[in-house]
Amino acid sequence: MTRHALLAGAIAALAALPAASETAPKDVAFAEGAVATSLSGVAGDPESGAKIMTTNAKGNCVACHLIEAMPNVQFPGNIAPPLDGVASRYDEAQLRGIIANAKMTFDGSFMPAFYKTEGFIRPGNAYTGKAPEGDLPPILTAQEIEDVLAYLLTLK
Amino acid sequence: MHRTATKSVAQTFLGMTFGIALAGAAFADPVDDKLVIETDNGPLELVTTAPAAAHLEGALTTLYSGWHYREDDTRDMERDDFDNPGMVFVDMGIDSWNKAQGVNGESCAGCHEGPESMAGLRAVTPRVDEKTGKLMTVENYVNGCVTERMGLEAWGMTSDKMKDMLALISMQSRGMPVNVATDGAAAPFYAQGKEIYYTRYGQLEMSCASCHEDNQGLFIRADHLSQGQINGFPTYRLKDAGILSAQQRFVGCVRDTRAETFKPNSDEFKALELYVASRGNGLSVEGVSVRH
């Protein structure tokens, strides 16, 4: 076996890994709002996180939060605290918990839970207004949560 | 760390930050302005801000028409019937009113004479019909005549025909204060509507109150959140280039919470219309307003 083949094998094994170490939304363990372990088992990508945060159908965080570190975002909302400096206010586990389900940190929060699939009243199929077909996916995937987290951790 | 951040904490924090960022701009307020409309019969001043009725204690203190939250140019379009694109639809409503369209040539005008005979109806609907005990919207009354007195198929609740007629009928109450009943036979519908108003629907878990009571005056992205009043409905919506009924607005807002919506004219949305209308008791009916 050549080195290349070995490497390819290792990569294939790695690619198969995330699913195995991914935490399903209903299995996330919150400790006083915080989530200590990575939801995907794969380090987050801050660039992808920034994209998710500014995409309407994804995180759309800027609908409510101003982020001065994102000067190109037009008309950010002002409903929620600005996110600049947020990584100095919270540690990684706390931020992961807030993104996954902010209601575990802020009782009754207006902020949507991005990694939750149960316990809703009349959930719909995304923004179609119709009932979902099959299981309801979380708004963001495990990896997307980790990506957003990676971006927030740059906001020192 | 289980923190319970109350709204006031978040907003104080916000106020401080934005005070600096926007150099003291009054970012959270409905615009202080007066709505005087140039009509065919001269200027007409509308009541667009009013003290909240007693049943709203704890929820609202001052009522603001959605007009106060829109941009200058959108507000200006409502100041003159000539500039209000909604009036085209009122005119189509007049044509429909006068047209012999029943199976035996009946027309609205044949039974009701001029559309002015409808003055006051929009201000008190939805209301419970004394004879049937049913909750009636203007659309329900229209379809009652269309099917029973004109022998036609019911008009679609959100069809153009229906909305033209709704626009015409609402115009007859322009300037009158919204005054829907919340007690007596209306009480159970009011209670149902109120329950829906405060229920956090959908995957985003948001209620009407989340946006229009807790966060009115703030911006959700570029949208200035109003109190979600319906005294201006039906409205001419610039985004749709057409007339939008309250029932349609409810569909849009509930859909935006990633929820399965209720249907226009469902028992739920009719009760909600009664409740939301009652939150505007005291504001003028705007006839056909202009919104973005």
Side-chain angles (χ1 to χ4, degrees):
Chain A
M1 212 189 247
T2 66
R3 262 176 82 93
H4 269 106
L6 251 174
L7 235 167
I11 290 169
L14 258 177
L17 254 179
S21 58
E22 192 170 300
T23 311
K26 60 179 181 353
D27 297 331
V28 179
F30 290 89
E32 305 205 331
V35 176
T37 36
S38 166
L39 297 176
S40 66
V42 174
D45 166 9
E47 238 172 85
S48 153
K51 217 173 267 158
I52 292 160
M53 292 177 65
T54 51
T55 304
N56 286 1
K58 293 275 184 183
N60 200 16
C61 315
V62 291
C64 295
H65 293 277
L66 169 79
I67 305 165
E68 281 184 35
M70 290 183 168
N72 292 331
V73 172
Q74 296 200 327
F75 309 115
N78 64 2
I79 280 171
L83 293 180
D84 299 282
V86 82
S88 319
R89 298 196 286 281
Y90 301 95
D91 65 25
E92 181 178 326
Q94 288 169 330
L95 286 175
R96 183 181 288 111
I98 293 173
I99 306 164
N101 184 353
K103 285 152 181 97
M104 304 300 271
T105 300
F106 309 110
D107 202 22
S109 183
F110 182 48
M111 179 162 153
F114 289 96
Y115 201 60
K116 178 180 162 181
T117 51
E118 295 171 331
F120 302 115
I121 303 169
R122 295 180 71 89
N125 178 0
Y127 293 102
T128 62
K130 302 206 169 77
E133 290 160 29
D135 289 347
L136 195 70
I139 300 173
L140 298 179
T141 65
Q143 191 55 46
E144 285 168 338
I145 301 274
E146 294 301 324
D147 291 352
V148 170
L149 174 62
Y151 177 80
L152 289 191
L153 287 171
T154 69
L155 299 175
K156 288 246 158 58
Chain B
M1 191 201 68
H2 193 95
R3 251 183 51 186
T4 305
T6 62
K7 208 86 260 152
S8 61
V9 170
Q11 284 178 353
T12 310
F13 178 49
L14 259 175
M16 280 159 48
T17 315
F18 274 83
I20 299 158
L22 301 181
F27 71 93
D29 296 326
V31 177
D32 182 12
D33 197 355
K34 236 187 189 85
L35 177 54
V36 180
I37 301 181
E38 286 305 324
T39 77
D40 282 349
N41 306 319
L44 175 69
E45 182 169 346
L46 297 193
V47 174
T48 56
T49 162
H55 72 275
L56 296 170
E57 205 184 313
L60 294 171
T61 45
T62 306
L63 310 182
Y64 294 99
S65 157
W67 182 78
H68 283 276
Y69 299 79
R70 302 281 65 90
E71 312 253 333
D72 294 355
D73 47 352
T74 308
R75 283 204 316 284
D76 285 347
M77 291 174 92
E78 202 178 326
R79 286 191 224 267
D80 192 332
D81 284 349
F82 196 73
D83 298 325
N84 182 336
M87 294 308 147
V88 173
F89 299 88
V90 175
D91 285 344
M92 293 197 275
I94 294 176
D95 293 343
S96 174
W97 180 269
N98 291 321
K99 187 174 163 194
Q101 48 189 326
V103 277
N104 296 315
E106 303 93 335
S107 68
C108 314
C111 288
H112 300 284
E113 303 192 350
E116 4 16 286
S117 60
M118 295 292 131
L121 181 66
R122 181 73 187 97
V124 297
T125 45
R127 76 169 171 209
V128 178
D129 187 83
E130 276 179 27
K131 276 181 242 133
T132 62
K134 284 195 178 138
L135 186 63
M136 301 291 284
T137 56
V138 171
E139 292 96 314
N140 293 147
Y141 280 113
V142 169
N143 257 344
C145 286
V146 164
T147 58
E148 287 161 32
R149 303 198 177 87
M150 301 171 93
L152 301 171
E153 292 273 310
W155 292 353
M157 277 296 154
T158 60
S159 63
D160 291 344
K161 254 198 248 184
M162 179 63 84
K163 290 191 290 179
D164 292 348
M165 192 56 73
L166 180 59
L168 174 67
I169 291 174
S170 294
M171 275 296 283
Q172 312 311 310
S173 298
R174 182 162 72 174
M176 297 179 183
V178 176
N179 184 25
V180 297
T182 57
D183 53 2
F189 299 106
Y190 172 87
Q192 184 189 6
K194 182 174 181 181
E195 157 109 36
I196 292 170
Y197 193 87
Y198 287 100
T199 300
R200 298 181 68 163
Y201 290 109
Q203 199 170 9
L204 299 186
E205 297 174 276
M206 290 174 183
S207 69
C208 312
S210 306
C211 287
H212 296 296
E213 187 171 300
D214 301 344
N215 288 300
Q216 70 81 30
L218 296 176
F219 284 83
I220 191 155
R221 202 72 198 256
D223 276 323
H224 196 191
L225 283 171
S226 71
Q227 290 179 345
Q229 297 284 3
I230 54 171
N231 63 302
F233 278 71
T235 187
Y236 179 85
R237 193 167 189 215
L238 296 164
K239 247 184 227 165
D240 303 338
I243 296 287
L244 191 82
S245 67
Q247 295 277 319
Q248 287 177 302
R249 181 78 238 197
F250 298 164
V251 169
C253 279
V254 174
R255 185 184 51 214
D256 285 350
T257 69
R258 293 176 84 115
E260 179 189 356
T261 68
F262 299 101
K263 292 204 164 54
N265 199 44
S266 59
D267 290 346
E268 290 87 354
F269 271 176
K270 282 172 58 180
L272 183 64
E273 182 168 339
L274 168 66
Y275 177 70
V276 176
S278 82
R279 291 174 70 97
N281 273 354
L283 294 173
S284 292
V285 172
E286 288 176 31
V288 182
S289 65
V290 184
R291 301 288 187 262
H292 81 289

